[in-house]
Amino acid sequence: MVRTRFAPSPTGYMHIGNLRTALYAYLFAKRHDGKLILRIEDTDRKRTMPQTIRVIYNSLELAGIEYDEGPEKDGGYGPYTQSQRREIYNRYAAEALEKGLAYRCFCTNTGEKAAKTKVVERRDPCRTLTPEQVQERLNQGQPFVIRQRVPDEGTSTFHDHVFGEITVKNSDLDDQVLLKSDGFPTYNFANVIDDHLMGITHVIRGLEYLSSTPKYNLLYAGFGWPTPEYIHLPHITKENGRKLSKREGDASFEDLLAKGYLPQAVVNYIALLGWNPGDEREFFTLPELIAAFDIDRINKSSASFTLVKLDWLNSQHVRALSPEEFYQIALPYYPAEAVQRFDVAAISRLIQSRVIRLTDIPQMVDFLLRLPDFPVDLFVHEKSKSTIASSLNILEQALPLLQSLETWENLALQEALKAFAQQTGLKTGTVMWPIRIAISGLLNTPGGATEIAEILGREETLRRINQAVSCLRQAA
RNA sequence: GCCCCCAUCGUCUAGCGGCCCAGGACGGAGCCCUCUCAAGGCUCAAACAGGGGUUCGAGUCCCCUUGGGGGCACCA
């Protein structure tokens, strides 16, 4: 049984790199009829913001990533929140000490010092303390951390499904802290204990853990546990190649949704950032992703996150919606006045194939509410053979024609105006152009003249045409 | 400073020694269609970082250089 996990720490919002990790863990588990476990890594008391756990739940839910076990979904491997597992870590820390896998370190601030001087000590002086010396310090009540005792000799080799075989010298590995002086475990310790105890078969996580993996494996070996399979994921960068960061407010899932992207489009997009199905498909629903997902097709190199392709995918997903679905999703984006005055279901049918982001909608329909001020030369259009004079002439003739129409509906309008064009020997475009301009005041509109006329209704359409006629008379 | 990893069009990518004077997609340019725009159809421009090897043959294997990323925290 495949068991994967997504193990975020609740320190803020969910950026798309994290979301992709969650997605891949989910896709892989589901692809193999396995389970996805959600584990909350809140062992850093300074950075943890408990209220942001909600963000994680929300994002996963919106993305459609369903986990099988988690903090509020017990599957027998709990608790799923690391701060609630402290006794477990203490127990294994004691065992590590007994087995000589770890030792107590009484140094203070060594990490800071090392970082500052750039001189990294991989072996801590406390490593060679005798049991008597250790006992003495314990008796004095000196605070301590527990460090991993990494062998000086030999090399460590492991296999990663993305990066292949990786070998490092043990002497290049540092004696990392396993248990902090506040009694909380570090990630480096907790992840090993939890992944083993929770029966995780495949560890899917970011590339930043690749270089620590040999140390984790030493721990697994020391405890006599089998190591999981590893799938390290290359990073997602922003357009300039820099790493995405929370600090700089880079693309979070929530931001993207607020910008008018559909969750399924974002999911589709990030799935393709670093993975491809092996054929030329690009549009995927979540079930289709599950069916197609294969870790052997994950890329090694990092990918940069760009909005332009997401725009396109989003427009594809918008179009894939049924008219009714789109209408429901678009509804909140319409100005209240538009909902009152017009048939927004009809507008939705018109704009569905033209919307890129949902936030485009207000701007797109604004002209229906207020005829923009527009220059009279909008009526001049070479390709449609439309001039000021022809426009005036056509609008004057169209007025009574439209007035006398029995049904005010797109098809009827179209037929009448096309017939009129034929009778007068004009191109359809020559007739339609001035009408569309007159009733929209825009060069480009989300629909043709007759479609817009239908939305506007007879009264408003005629009012706008009349208005245009007087403008044109003045200009002529 | 030390260690590890990565490197194909602007971007996402296909390519696992000959099928590649490198394919697809987004974006760009143009044409067609058309009641504008969008959609759709067609066409074009656009890449194997550089240098050495190995091989009959290299984008594909090896080495070096360069560039980029990650790690070396009592953060995850």
Side-chain angles (χ1 to χ4, degrees):
Chain A
M1 162 73 98
V2 165
R3 289 172 63 87
T4 64
R5 44 75 158 180
F6 176 54
S9 38
T11 57
Y13 61 76
M14 171 108 79
H15 71 66
I16 52 158
N18 280 135
L19 186 68
R20 189 193 59 176
T21 303
L23 178 64
Y24 284 10
Y26 169 75
L27 295 177
F28 182 76
K30 295 299 126 182
R31 177 77 180 77
H32 298 279
D33 299 313
K35 290 189 170 171
L36 173 66
I37 287 82
L38 175 66
R39 184 170 73 220
I40 303 298
E41 310 231 325
D42 59 347
T43 54
D44 184 340
R45 290 181 301 165
K46 293 188 201 74
R47 294 204 315 163
T48 292
M49 295 153 71
Q51 67 285 9
T52 61
I53 291 175
R54 282 261 66 92
V55 175
I56 294 166
Y57 293 154
N58 269 339
S59 298
L60 292 178
E61 192 183 338
L62 285 166
I65 298 171
E66 287 180 49
Y67 52 91
D68 301 284
E69 296 173 24
E72 284 159 32
K73 216 172 171 185
D74 187 37
Y77 292 84
Y80 295 88
T81 301
Q82 289 186 328
S83 57
Q84 294 165 21
R85 299 172 61 81
R86 292 180 55 194
E87 298 155 54
I88 298 170
Y89 306 126
N90 284 333
R91 204 158 69 232
Y92 285 100
E95 187 179 333
L97 244 24
E98 266 173 51
K99 289 184 162 168
L101 299 171
Y103 60 91
R104 290 189 180 82
C105 165
F106 298 90
C107 302
T108 51
N109 292 327
T110 51
E112 255 175 54
K113 197 181 99 195
K116 210 176 280 178
T117 57
K118 287 276 179 193
V119 177
V120 180
E121 292 291 337
R122 301 195 195 286
R123 296 293 171 262
D124 191 275
C126 298
R127 163 187 249 253
T128 56
L129 255 31
T130 64
E132 292 72 29
Q133 288 172 309
V134 169
Q135 194 53 52
E136 188 185 326
R137 288 165 208 225
L138 287 176
N139 290 344
Q140 287 168 6
Q142 281 191 28
F144 64 90
V145 300
I146 294 178
R147 283 185 187 277
Q148 182 174 355
R149 186 188 300 274
V150 174
D152 290 311
E153 304 296 321
T155 60
S156 291
T157 298
F158 70 101
H159 179 265
D160 179 89
H161 282 278
V162 174
F163 291 95
E165 196 169 273
I166 291 171
T167 300
V168 293
K169 291 200 286 282
N170 290 336
S171 56
D172 285 328
L173 268 18
D174 64 304
D175 280 2
Q176 62 184 353
V177 171
L178 265 19
L179 210 69
K180 311 177 211 176
S181 56
D182 66 5
F184 278 77
T186 60
Y187 169 87
N188 298 132
F189 190 51
N191 95 84
V192 170
I193 304 300
D194 289 347
D195 284 341
H196 175 255
L197 260 25
M198 293 181 180
I200 303 303
T201 57
H202 298 257
V203 169
I204 301 177
R205 64 177 32 146
L207 182 63
E208 64 272 27
Y209 300 106
L210 188 71
S211 54
S212 305
T213 299
K215 291 181 278 193
Y216 306 150
N217 286 344
L218 253 12
L219 249 19
Y220 281 104
F223 281 117
W225 298 338
T227 53
E229 302 287 313
Y230 290 112
I231 297 113
H232 285 94
L233 270 19
H235 283 137
I236 297 176
T237 67
K238 43 189 169 182
E239 311 202 18
N240 58 19
R242 294 294 314 173
K243 193 181 172 182
L244 290 163
S245 76
K246 290 184 182 179
R247 275 302 301 263
E248 292 170 48
D250 290 325
S252 76
F253 186 50
E254 293 170 304
D255 289 343
L256 293 173
L257 301 187
K259 280 180 179 168
Y261 295 102
L262 256 17
Q264 61 267 43
V266 177
V267 166
N268 188 166
Y269 177 70
I270 62 174
L272 259 18
L273 237 36
W275 170 84
N276 76 82
D279 53 41
E280 282 168 356
R281 286 176 298 164
E282 302 218 84
F283 181 95
F284 285 90
T285 62
L286 200 52
E288 287 168 346
L289 283 174
I290 292 170
F293 193 69
D294 176 2
I295 52 171
D296 290 337
R297 301 200 63 89
I298 295 174
N299 276 164
K300 289 188 176 88
S301 46
S302 60
S304 84
F305 177 89
T306 325
L307 253 22
V308 277
K309 188 133 187 186
L310 176 57
D311 278 346
W312 172 75
L313 257 182
N314 199 59
S315 70
Q316 297 297 304
H317 280 273
V318 165
R319 281 171 192 117
L321 260 18
S322 71
E324 175 60 22
E325 285 171 326
F326 176 71
Y327 165 66
Q328 292 298 339
I329 289 169
L331 202 48
Y333 291 88
Y334 287 111
E337 194 188 347
V339 179
Q340 282 181 337
R341 286 177 52 188
F342 301 114
D343 178 356
V344 286
I347 299 176
S348 297
R349 286 193 291 276
L350 224 50
I351 66 173
Q352 184 172 3
S353 68
R354 292 170 240 255
V355 164
I356 294 178
R357 299 182 300 184
L358 298 169
T359 45
D360 295 341
I361 293 174
Q363 179 60 241
M364 265 176 127
V365 302
D366 189 63
F367 76 97
L368 294 168
L369 298 169
R370 270 164 300 279
L371 182 67
D373 280 329
F374 65 98
V376 77
D377 60 5
L378 236 46
F379 284 106
V380 181
H381 185 67
E382 200 176 340
K383 260 194 78 180
S384 302
K385 294 195 189 311
S386 182
T387 63
I388 300 284
S390 74
S391 294
L392 177 57
N393 177 31
I394 287 160
L395 291 182
E396 281 176 328
Q397 294 189 64
L399 231 24
L401 177 68
L402 294 174
Q403 220 143 15
S404 69
L405 271 183
E406 277 178 32
T407 48
W408 193 263
E409 176 265 319
N410 178 37
L411 224 57
L413 287 158
Q414 232 182 86
E415 280 170 16
L417 290 167
K418 282 187 176 171
F420 166 73
Q422 223 162 14
Q423 284 160 25
T424 48
L426 294 164
K427 285 176 59 171
T428 308
T430 316
V431 173
M432 297 296 191
W433 183 272
I435 295 174
R436 195 178 57 81
I437 297 297
I439 65 177
S440 71
L442 296 174
L443 197 55
N444 302 322
T445 48
T450 57
E451 291 169 314
I452 289 162
E454 181 186 297
I455 302 283
L456 282 174
R458 189 192 306 254
E459 195 188 339
E460 179 65 10
T461 299
L462 294 177
R463 192 183 72 76
R464 291 186 178 192
I465 291 178
N466 268 311
Q467 196 178 323
V469 166
S470 43
C471 279
L472 283 164
R473 279 188 183 138
Q474 280 179 11

